[in-house]
């Protein structure tokens, strides 16, 4: 059983930065595709970024491309999301997710097998 715990959320001003961490336990993430999603009140869960287990190739939603960076440290069993130039529309609960299967549709929430409880990110104007 893979367990994921997000941390690093908080309140920041527009234009600021945050770094989210996703600490995994129970299993090694070295063979899992990993992703970040977010969900604002009244909206569907939205894909943010993903990273493959093999090549480390990264993928981003158009809304965050150029501002956010996903990375992984397999030795620490941790995935990160560096968020720069934050905007009020980035406000959401951010979730870390793991996929034990080879990616098929990496931007779909249903692709992933394991989820953390989320961490709140609030960006003020």
């Amino acid at each position: 059983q893979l367990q994921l715990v997000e941390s690093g959320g908080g309140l920041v001003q527009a234009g600021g930065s945050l770094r989210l961490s996703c600490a995994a336990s129970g299993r090694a993430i070295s063979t899992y595709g990993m992703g970040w999603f977010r969900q604002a009140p009244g909206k569907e869960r939205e894909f943010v970024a993903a990273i493959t287990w093999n090549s480390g190739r990264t993928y981003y939603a158009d809304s965050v491309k150029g501002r956010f960076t996903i990375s992984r440290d397999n030795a620490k069993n941790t995935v990160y999301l560096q968020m720069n130039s934050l905007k009020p529309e980035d406000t959401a609960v951010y979730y870390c997710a793991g996929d034990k299967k080879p990616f098929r549709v990496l931007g779909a929430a249903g692709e992933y097998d394991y989820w953390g409880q989320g961490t709140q990110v609030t960006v003020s104007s």
Side-chain angles (χ1 to χ4, degrees):
Q1 179 79 285
L2 179 67
Q3 295 176 320
L4 304 172
V5 179
E6 304 94 336
S7 63
L11 174 64
V12 297
Q13 294 182 349
S17 297
L18 281 175
R19 178 165 139 125
L20 305 184
S21 297
C22 173
S25 61
R27 304 287 297 276
I29 64 167
S30 56
T31 59
Y32 288 75
M34 303 297 295
W36 286 95
F37 289 74
R38 65 188 183 187
Q39 189 165 22
K43 301 189 70 175
E44 296 290 307
R45 191 163 295 191
E46 175 189 26
F47 170 73
V48 176
I51 185 167
T52 66
W53 72 269
N54 189 11
S55 65
R57 185 172 299 177
T58 58
Y59 302 85
Y60 299 94
D62 288 341
S63 59
V64 307
K65 193 172 299 181
R67 300 188 297 121
F68 291 9
T69 303
I70 186 172
S71 62
R72 64 192 300 159
D73 187 337
N74 288 342
K76 294 186 177 295
N77 220 30
T78 301
V79 181
Y80 304 96
L81 185 69
Q82 178 68 47
M83 306 186 294
N84 299 326
S85 301
L86 283 163
K87 305 174 181 179
E89 50 262 47
D90 295 318
T91 295
V93 176
Y94 282 71
Y95 298 90
C96 178
D99 186 3
K100 65 182 179 182
K101 312 173 298 295
F103 278 141
R104 294 166 294 184
V105 186
L106 59 84
E111 170 73 26
Y112 295 81
D113 303 295
Y114 304 99
W115 293 85
Q117 293 300 304
T119 185
Q120 177 71 48
V121 172
T122 303
V123 184
S124 65
S125 60

